[in-house]
Amino acid sequence: MDEQKRKVYLAHMDGEREQTVKEHLEGTAELAGKFAAVFGKEDWGRCCGMLHDVGKYSEGFQKRIRGESSRPVDHATAGAKLCLEKGGMYGFLSYCIAGHHAGLPDRGSSSDQAGSSTLEGRRRKEIEDFQAYGEEIQIPELMSPPFDGKRPDNPDFSMSVLIRMLYSCLVDADFLDTERFMRDGQTERDGGESLEVLLGRLESYISGWLSNDQPDTVNGRRTEILKHCLEYGELEKGLFRLTVPTGGGKTVASLAFALRHGVKHHMRRVIYVIPYTSIIEQNAQVFREILGEENVLENHCNVDYESSEEFKPMQLAAENWDKPVVVTTNVQFFESLFASRSSKCRKIHNIADSVIIFDEAQMLPLDYLKPCISMIRELIQFYRVSAVLCTATQPALEPFFGGGLKGKELCPRMEEQFRFFERTTFQNMGTMTEEELAERLRRERQVLCIVNTRKKAQQLYRKLEGEGVYHLSTTMYPAHRRRILETVRRRLRDGETCILISTSLVEAGVDLDFQSVYRQLSGVDSMIQAAGRCNREGKRSREESKVFIFQFDEKESAPGQRQQTDISENLLAEGRELSSLDSVEEYFKRLYHFRGDGLDKKKIMEEFKRSVYNFDKVGKEFRLIEEHTRLLFAGREEDGKALLEEIRYCGCTKERMRKVTRYCVQMGREFDALYGAGMIRAVSGDMEDFYELTEESQYTEELGLNLEVDSGMARFL
């Protein structure tokens, strides 16, 4: 009887319920094959699924799962060894199988010790006998070539992306099959409605606009752009550009293109990739209003779907992006595509067969531009993706795509649209002192002044402070900034005096309409974005709506922005009109030329060469935000204080942390000075990088967190 029982090899147990290894392998293979079929690699996906847990056929694992032993058993190396021994194309699958729990490994070298975390180390590792798998499992044949007759420009990088995609298929399938067993089929997942249904909703929403045939009105121009995007949605898949001036309605126009294009080509989803969470929240709300709450997934650091049962389907969808419309950040999107851990990689197979909109495409990360563009190209060439570079300041990216991949422009009569939507006149003021600038600002009625650093914003505000003068920067916690913006909007609307001193945070995703704007010299794209806060509604003439560009005596740029500022200065010296499309293109050409090798700062592309792929190393190196930041609670409002007390006495949950960030300032370099002055302390010993301000006078309603700290103030508590 015992011998008979031992011939049942178990993968999972849940009380009296059992799932055999064969059932789990077949279930995972079916799902992984289905996922990989989307990009033509069903046989590769099935093979990964059938071999990933063959190590569970060992006696050691069976004793452990039956509670007869507590000794840990490596069950992931077995399938990887099988693939390495079989060789050829199977060797590539060994990365996926070896890493389906621990993460995609580096290849390693012949000097690696047995048992090290590299693939070579795993190959040399002694593991328990698992040959009983042969009684139940056959190794599936790989029938299709890696690239189906297409010729990759960079075969090693292309193969590394294929491995990532297959890894994603495997880990998602493994999770889902296990979840299906453990929850007895009750998973509460909801993939949302089809793109056909969503296109119908959008067409109903915009139906009243489409009758507008007055090309000399703002709404008429927006309708012209919208109609063109709908029409071009019928084009073949590929790379597109949507170069639309501020106010041209690109949010709805890009959604219209994406849905029409997706339906035309039977695609699965639309993914919006956006640089700022502030824009994400606005765009996602627009999409929800048009398409329905259940169809739009926001996935970024400020959203937590674990906070209530009501959001359970959204929480589950956030794990693998199983929704028809996904709105995410550059950080989340690209770091997932270059990650090695299963939790981050699980979603990426669902990027295949999608329309991807890169909103504010000029904000693609400069330090990683080459690997990011290479990844977009792979997605277009091999994963049935169409990509749209969407912005008012189109970067000169075509040379990086190479291979004849040219972006088709979706904006009709583009140059004429920009002339029509021009609402401001740029004027170069040259160099001025803080006092001269302050004097000019005092004479204005409704004016926005944007400077390059938080410290300069605070200094300038101190010279002007008084009735109708406001300061806005990330030295203020988000709830405080929101309150200031509400006051500013009300004063602008009511025609009252309003002088706002700000950093670049108002340049995107913030709807403000000033009579004039002063912008400290910076990148051309930033200055054009700043101009979008002047005469935004077009109620004044272009001539009376001035954007003044100025510099201070001392050379000063935002961190990492020196090259951008220098190139802009050269363009101004040449007498160029900053807002022209030619100037924008020339600016980006020069910027990319001067950056050179700095466009792949960490040499990510070097890690995938000669069939040696360093996934783990790249996963650790590829970080779009590198500065070590800490959260400082500075909330002076009762809601914020109550939240902090809850965290202090009831513990820290994701939901509480998400809520409390509305009352926190992110600190970088200034942390040491504040800590050394005894003005901050850790909230609790078990929460890393979370502090509270103890010196209340250091945070004011006018300035937020005062960055001026006297180094002689350090105290011993």
Side-chain angles (χ1 to χ4, degrees):
M1 189 71 174
D2 286 344
E3 187 62 28
Q4 188 68 28
K5 188 176 180 182
R6 285 215 176 267
K7 290 182 181 177
V8 178
Y9 294 94
L10 298 181
H12 300 111
M13 295 179 68
D14 181 29
E16 296 297 311
R17 295 171 57 248
E18 298 176 343
Q19 184 187 41
T20 67
V21 179
K22 185 170 187 284
E23 287 169 342
H24 177 55
L25 293 182
E26 288 176 342
T28 303
E30 181 184 355
L31 283 171
K34 174 184 160 189
F35 297 155
V38 172
F39 49 90
K41 291 289 162 287
E42 181 177 3
D43 50 337
W44 294 59
R46 284 192 65 82
C47 189
C48 277
M50 284 302 293
L51 300 183
H52 81 287
D53 269 358
V54 291
K56 289 185 176 181
Y57 279 97
S58 70
E59 284 296 310
F61 184 86
Q62 290 304 307
K63 284 181 179 178
R64 180 176 173 81
I65 198 168
R66 296 173 191 276
E68 298 167 14
S69 167
S70 59
R71 186 172 61 85
V73 177
D74 173 1
H75 66 268
T77 298
K81 281 194 168 206
L82 275 182
C83 289
L84 287 167
E85 287 164 9
K86 197 161 174 63
M89 294 186 295
Y90 289 90
F92 297 115
L93 301 186
S94 61
Y95 283 100
C96 305
I97 295 169
H100 77 269
H101 286 303
L104 282 167
D106 292 342
R107 175 73 199 204
S109 67
S110 57
S111 63
D112 289 352
Q113 296 290 318
S116 74
S117 61
T118 65
L119 194 60
E120 276 298 312
R122 299 286 282 275
R123 185 176 68 80
R124 293 158 186 260
K125 184 180 181 181
E126 290 292 327
I127 59 173
E128 297 204 22
D129 177 51
F130 63 95
Q131 293 307 312
Y133 88 89
E135 298 169 17
E136 296 186 343
I137 303 299
Q138 284 191 322
I139 300 176
E141 289 295 317
L142 296 182
M143 309 298 291
S144 62
F147 305 112
D148 295 334
K150 297 176 186 173
R151 189 170 182 179
D153 296 329
N154 182 339
D156 276 308
F157 184 70
S158 293
M159 182 55 76
S160 78
V161 177
L162 176 58
I163 291 169
R164 286 184 189 285
M165 283 292 184
L166 292 166
Y167 177 65
S168 173
C169 293
L170 171 61
V171 295
D172 195 23
D174 189 17
F175 270 113
L176 290 172
D177 186 73
T178 303
E179 176 185 81
R180 185 165 55 191
F181 168 73
M182 298 303 287
R183 296 186 180 180
D184 205 10
Q186 305 301 308
T187 62
E188 303 174 58
R189 291 184 177 271
D190 175 12
E193 297 174 289
S194 68
L195 292 191
E196 286 85 355
V197 171
L198 302 193
L199 177 60
R201 292 223 181 111
L202 175 77
E203 287 173 342
S204 174
Y205 183 85
I206 63 175
S207 59
W209 305 355
L210 298 180
S211 59
N212 190 325
D213 57 359
Q214 299 174 302
D216 294 328
T217 66
V218 168
N219 286 334
R221 292 286 177 145
R222 288 172 179 162
T223 299
E224 181 185 5
I225 294 167
L226 176 59
K227 284 179 177 176
H228 203 257
C229 284
L230 281 167
E231 179 187 334
Y232 270 40
E234 301 285 331
L235 293 177
E236 288 305 307
K237 289 183 180 183
L239 178 66
F240 299 88
R241 300 169 11 138
L242 179 54
T243 314
V244 175
T246 302
K250 68 181 171 70
T251 300
V252 175
S254 61
L255 179 64
F257 168 81
L259 290 176
R260 177 67 66 83
H261 193 67
V263 169
K264 166 72 177 177
H265 297 289
H266 310 289
M267 298 167 86
R268 299 185 302 157
R269 61 184 47 82
V270 174
I271 301 173
Y272 269 81
V273 185
I274 302 178
Y276 306 112
T277 53
S278 58
I279 312 175
I280 283 187
E281 288 159 4
Q282 288 184 67
N283 285 11
Q285 187 54 39
V286 171
F287 300 153
R288 279 193 289 265
E289 288 171 7
I290 299 172
L291 307 175
E293 292 269 348
E294 72 280 9
N295 294 310
V296 180
L297 172 72
E298 275 186 80
N299 191 217
H300 54 88
C301 62
N302 289 352
V303 172
D304 170 29
Y305 289 117
E306 295 183 31
S307 52
S308 74
E309 283 302 311
E310 176 187 347
F311 288 124
K312 191 71 172 176
M314 281 297 186
Q315 175 198 339
L316 294 169
E319 297 169 351
N320 64 354
W321 283 4
D322 189 15
K323 283 288 182 185
V325 177
V326 177
V327 192
T328 191
T329 57
N330 284 339
V331 172
Q332 181 76 245
F333 184 81
F334 287 112
E335 286 191 3
S336 295
L337 279 163
F338 285 95
S340 61
R341 299 298 172 197
S342 61
S343 57
K344 276 203 161 187
C345 292
R346 182 178 170 185
K347 65 179 83 76
I348 65 175
H349 73 91
N350 274 329
I351 294 172
D353 205 23
S354 297
V355 186
I356 308 175
I357 311 288
F358 293 96
D359 197 14
E360 304 298 349
Q362 79 280 1
M363 297 296 293
L364 288 172
L366 271 179
D367 290 340
Y368 299 92
L369 190 67
K370 285 183 177 177
C372 286
I373 296 299
S374 296
M375 184 62 79
I376 296 170
R377 179 174 173 76
E378 288 295 312
L379 293 173
I380 293 170
Q381 191 169 9
F382 297 111
Y383 298 94
R384 303 178 181 175
V385 157
S386 283
V388 184
L389 305 173
C390 186
T391 178
T393 51
Q394 193 68 243
L397 294 176
E398 279 192 358
F400 298 102
F401 281 102
L405 189 59
K406 293 186 180 297
K408 303 177 191 72
E409 181 57 59
L410 299 177
C411 181
R413 301 189 297 151
M414 184 177 66
E415 292 188 9
E416 189 179 327
Q417 305 295 359
F418 272 81
R419 284 194 296 272
F420 178 86
F421 278 97
E422 242 179 354
R423 297 168 183 171
T424 60
T425 303
F426 279 86
Q427 187 170 329
N428 184 13
M429 304 297 292
T431 302
M432 58 174 62
T433 64
E434 278 185 38
E435 289 72 20
E436 288 169 337
L437 175 60
E439 187 54 41
R440 286 190 65 99
L441 294 174
R442 282 191 196 98
R443 296 199 294 266
E444 299 277 359
R445 182 164 177 76
Q446 293 191 336
V447 61
L448 168 65
C449 179
I450 302 175
V451 292
N452 289 337
T453 65
R454 301 192 296 181
K455 191 171 183 180
K456 184 64 76 175
Q458 290 191 347
Q459 290 171 349
L460 187 57
Y461 173 81
R462 288 191 184 98
K463 293 185 182 301
L464 287 160
E465 58 184 316
E467 175 63 24
V469 182
Y470 299 92
H471 163 270
L472 194 71
S473 84
T474 53
T475 58
M476 298 164 157
Y477 53 81
H480 187 180
R481 296 202 300 265
R482 200 168 292 121
R483 204 168 60 244
I484 296 294
L485 279 169
E486 285 170 4
T487 302
V488 167
R489 286 194 181 100
R490 180 185 58 75
R491 293 185 74 96
L492 291 175
R493 186 178 62 246
D494 295 347
E496 299 176 33
T497 297
C498 186
I499 301 172
L500 178 61
I501 312 300
S502 179
T503 55
S504 62
L505 67 86
V506 297
E507 288 178 351
V510 181
D511 293 336
L512 295 170
D513 187 2
F514 287 89
Q515 293 174 4
S516 54
V517 167
Y518 286 71
R519 181 53 166 105
Q520 186 178 357
L521 186 72
S522 63
V524 165
D525 53 331
S526 289
M527 293 187 287
I528 290 174
Q529 288 276 14
R533 311 312 116 188
C534 180
N535 193 23
R536 189 172 181 82
E537 301 302 323
K539 293 176 181 175
R540 295 174 295 279
S541 71
R542 176 175 175 256
E543 291 69 30
E544 63 182 337
S545 304
K546 295 284 181 64
V547 178
F548 300 101
I549 305 301
F550 66 91
Q551 301 179 61
F552 289 119
D553 295 327
E554 70 277 16
K555 285 279 186 184
E556 179 192 57
S557 301
Q561 296 286 307
R562 184 60 184 269
Q563 278 181 326
Q564 288 90 321
T565 303
D566 287 348
I567 293 166
S568 296
E569 187 173 16
N570 289 338
L571 292 173
L572 282 171
E574 293 167 16
R576 288 178 177 264
E577 175 59 51
L578 286 183
S579 59
S580 75
L581 291 169
D582 287 344
S583 292
V584 171
E585 184 175 13
E586 181 62 23
Y587 165 77
F588 281 111
K589 281 181 177 176
R590 294 187 192 185
L591 178 60
Y592 298 153
H593 172 74
F594 287 127
R595 279 275 176 151
D597 291 341
L599 296 172
D600 185 5
K601 183 176 76 169
K602 298 284 188 67
K603 299 196 172 4
I604 299 297
M605 301 299 288
E606 296 289 314
E607 300 300 336
F608 305 105
K609 281 195 168 179
R610 295 178 291 279
S611 297
V612 175
Y613 308 141
N614 292 321
F615 294 106
D616 186 47
K617 181 180 179 183
V618 166
K620 291 169 181 169
E621 291 282 311
F622 194 98
R623 289 287 181 270
L624 300 195
I625 300 174
E626 298 206 58
E627 186 182 12
H628 183 196
T629 59
R630 300 170 177 92
L631 280 180
L632 176 67
F633 177 85
R636 304 179 307 156
E637 297 156 57
E638 291 308 313
D639 286 355
K641 290 177 181 177
L643 267 171
L644 188 67
E645 290 305 296
E646 223 179 290
I647 288 170
R648 208 191 307 275
Y649 296 111
C650 302
C652 182
T653 64
K654 283 188 177 180
E655 182 186 4
R656 288 182 187 130
M657 281 306 295
R658 179 178 59 84
K659 287 179 178 176
V660 86
T661 55
R662 294 188 300 229
Y663 305 97
C664 293
V665 176
Q666 282 202 337
M667 289 184 302
R669 304 170 196 178
E670 61 275 3
F671 172 82
D672 290 338
L674 288 164
Y675 191 79
M679 294 181 174
I680 59 180
R681 68 180 174 211
V683 171
S684 85
D686 62 347
M687 277 182 289
E688 194 178 350
D689 295 338
F690 184 35
Y691 295 81
E692 63 178 312
L693 185 68
T694 55
E695 186 67 49
E696 289 191 8
S697 63
Q698 198 66 15
Y699 192 102
T700 66
E701 180 65 22
E702 294 75 28
L703 290 175
L705 183 66
N706 185 354
L707 297 180
E708 299 287 344
V709 179
D710 185 346
S711 58
M713 289 177 67
R715 293 172 284 176
F716 296 94
L717 299 177

